[in-house]
Amino acid sequence: MAQSILANYDRARTGLILSGGGSRAAYQVGVLRAIANVLPKHHPNPFDVIAGTSAGALNAASLASHAWRFSTAVRSLEYIWKSLSSEQIYDPQSGNLLGGASNVLLSMLGANRPAEKPVALFDNSPLAKLLSRVIRFDRIQHNIDVGLLDAISVTASAYSTGESVSFYQAMKGFHDWSGPHRIGRRAQLDLHHLMASSAIPLIFPAVQIGQQYFGDGAIRQLAPTSTALHLGARRLLAIGVSGNRTKSPLEDEMHEPPGMLQMIGHILNSAFVDHLENDLEFLKHMNEVLPLVPAHSRSRIGRTLHEVELLEISPSKELNLLAMQHYEELPKPLSRYIKSGGSGTILSLILFEKGFCRALMQLGYEDAMEKETDIKGFLGLPA
C-alpha cells in the first residue's frame, strides 16, 4: 500500500521502524527472522534507514552493527533474546524494589534526594553491562562508510524540554531538523543513547546525555515514522508491538480498584501503543488526500509531496494477555507486588524471561510469514 508524506530527498530509501515496548521487542526479532528467511542467503542488510525507539533501539543498533550480513544480525539478536532473563536487564530483588519505590514516593512528595541519583523502581545497570558486551558500536560507522546502510537513529525523550530527540548516525549529506516537539541531532551513537531510549519512566532511571536527562523515546513520540522520513526513506516497513487490536477480556473482569502498578501500566500502554498506530493512520489519510492535490500545488511550500510505500506487521494476539500466561516466570521478589490477576501491561514490559520472549518471537515469525508475499513484494524479491 502506498502512503504519502512530505519530504525533499532525491533518492528513495527503504526504512525499518522498530517501535518501543520493553520486553515486547522480542516480537520484532521473530519478524526479522522471517525477513531473513525470505532473503537470499548471505544477503546484506536490506534497509537503508533503521529507526529504533525504546527496546526497539537496542534491536536497531544490533542490526546496524551486523549490516554486512542480515541473517547473522538476526541470529545474534535471537541468541540474546532466547537466553535472556530479568536479572540481565534489572535487579529484581525485593529490597531494591522497595528502595526504588520509596525514592519515587519521596520525589513525588518533593522530598530532598541526591541529585545524582534519578528516581526509578528498578536498577537497570545489568542492561548496560549486557549491551556493552553484545553491541559493537564502532562497527556502525564502518558499515555506513562502506555503504551497507545510510543512517540509523535512536529516539529518546528530553525531560527538560519535552522534545522527542532522534539521535542519528549517518553518511554525509544529512542535516539536523526541527519540528513540533521533535528534533533530529547527528551523534556518534553509544551506550548512553540506548540506555536513554529504553529508560521507561519511573521503572528505569533517566540517563544524562550532555546537559540533559532523557527517558524512554516512546514517550511523546507523536510521529514515530517521521525520523525515517526525515532521513530520506520513501518505503517503510513498520514492526509494531502493541497487540491491542483486540481488547483483552481481562479489562472486562476488573472488580477491584486499580493498584499503582496497574495505573502506571495503563499510562505506559497509552504511550507505547497509540503513537505508532495513530501515525500509520495519518499516513493512510495522507495517501487518500494526495490524489486530490493538484500537481502544481504540491511544491508551493518548498517541498514536494511524495508517496511512501508502507508495510506494517503487528501482533495478531493481545500481548498483555500473552504475558499473563507466562506469569509464573516472573522473578519471585516481583510476584509479591505484581499479582497474577494484575496488570498484564506492565508485565509485558518487564518480563524479560525465556518463555515469554520465545513466545513473542514465535508469534512475530508466524505473523510475518502470513505476510510472506507482501514482504517479498516490498523487498523486490520474486514471489
Side-chain angles (χ1 to χ4, degrees):
M1 183 192 310
Q3 311 299 342
S4 48
I5 193 68
L6 286 169
N8 59 351
Y9 293 92
D10 296 329
R11 183 172 72 83
R13 295 179 169 91
T14 300
L16 174 66
I17 309 294
L18 299 174
S19 58
S23 53
R24 299 181 190 182
Y27 175 86
Q28 298 170 352
V29 181
V31 175
L32 294 171
R33 163 49 58 197
I35 295 173
N37 284 355
V38 303
L39 286 171
K41 191 176 182 180
H42 305 316
H43 198 283
N45 162 54
F47 302 103
D48 301 297
V49 178
I50 303 175
T53 302
S54 189
L58 314 184
N59 291 338
S62 184
L63 290 178
S65 66
H66 293 87
W68 59 279
R69 185 172 295 172
F70 191 70
S71 60
T72 299
V74 174
R75 280 199 300 269
S76 177
L77 281 173
E78 284 184 311
Y79 174 79
I80 295 170
W81 284 94
K82 283 183 177 179
S83 58
L84 206 57
S85 65
S86 296
E87 287 82 359
Q88 294 175 283
I89 306 299
Y90 56 86
D91 188 341
Q93 297 303 312
S94 58
N96 291 329
L97 178 60
L98 288 173
S102 298
N103 286 333
V104 170
L105 181 59
L106 289 174
S107 178
M108 290 179 176
L109 296 175
N112 293 328
R113 59 180 179 81
E116 69 277 5
K117 189 175 182 180
V119 295
L121 290 174
F122 298 112
D123 171 15
N124 63 344
S125 56
L127 174 61
K129 296 177 182 178
L130 173 65
L131 295 178
S132 298
R133 293 197 309 269
V134 301
I135 296 181
R136 291 284 302 275
F137 292 97
D138 57 305
R139 291 181 179 176
I140 294 177
Q141 188 59 49
H142 170 76
N143 291 336
I144 292 174
D145 292 340
V146 300
L148 291 173
L149 76 159
D150 293 346
I152 172 179
S153 71
V154 170
T155 299
S157 180
Y159 279 112
S160 59
T161 64
E163 290 178 313
S164 178
V165 182
S166 294
F167 298 99
Y168 70 94
Q169 192 166 341
M171 59 188 294
K172 294 180 180 180
F174 290 96
H175 304 285
D176 292 355
W177 67 86
S178 296
H181 304 294
R182 57 180 183 269
I183 61 176
R185 293 291 180 265
R186 184 181 286 270
Q188 189 78 21
L189 298 180
D190 59 25
L191 179 63
H192 292 85
H193 298 97
L194 298 191
M195 293 297 292
S197 183
S198 58
I200 303 173
L202 296 181
I203 295 180
F204 298 140
V207 176
Q208 185 175 8
I209 300 177
Q211 300 301 312
Q212 290 183 296
Y213 277 92
F214 292 86
D216 197 289
I219 307 301
R220 300 198 69 176
Q221 188 184 31
L222 302 179
T225 63
S226 67
T227 298
L229 295 172
H230 275 292
L231 294 171
R234 290 291 171 274
R235 311 171 67 251
L236 298 179
L237 194 159
I239 307 177
V241 294
S242 70
N244 282 349
R245 297 192 181 279
T246 56
K247 190 176 180 181
S248 169
L250 291 178
E251 299 295 329
D252 297 327
E253 297 177 2
M254 187 173 170
H255 302 296
E256 298 179 357
M260 184 185 72
L261 289 180
Q262 191 156 13
M263 289 187 286
I264 292 175
H266 179 72
I267 294 171
L268 294 177
N269 194 54
S270 298
F272 285 122
V273 172
D274 296 340
H275 295 166
L276 178 60
E277 293 180 354
N278 291 343
D279 199 21
L280 294 176
E281 284 299 314
F282 169 75
L283 291 177
K284 294 176 183 178
H285 293 316
M286 286 289 290
N287 183 59
E288 295 171 355
V289 170
L290 182 59
L292 305 178
V293 180
H296 67 275
S297 299
R298 299 180 187 178
S299 58
R300 284 183 179 177
I301 61 174
R303 295 187 293 176
T304 304
L305 282 166
H306 291 283
E307 291 187 345
V308 177
E309 185 180 354
L310 174 67
L311 176 61
E312 177 193 1
I313 302 176
S314 296
S316 59
K317 296 181 180 179
E318 209 282 313
L319 299 191
N320 296 347
L321 183 59
L322 182 61
M324 295 307 296
Q325 294 172 357
H326 290 267
Y327 174 82
E328 71 281 355
E329 296 183 69
L330 188 69
K332 289 184 178 180
L334 296 185
S335 63
R336 296 172 56 186
Y337 308 97
I338 303 177
K339 304 304 180 182
S340 59
S343 174
T345 297
I346 201 166
L347 189 63
S348 71
L349 296 175
I350 67 171
L351 190 58
F352 293 91
E353 299 295 338
K354 296 180 180 65
F356 181 52
C357 290
R358 293 187 182 196
L360 287 171
M361 286 190 286
Q362 182 62 30
L363 179 62
Y365 179 81
E366 293 172 356
D367 288 347
M369 292 308 296
E370 284 290 324
K371 295 189 175 184
E372 180 179 3
T373 301
D374 294 336
I375 293 174
K376 288 182 176 179
F378 182 86
L379 297 176
L381 302 172

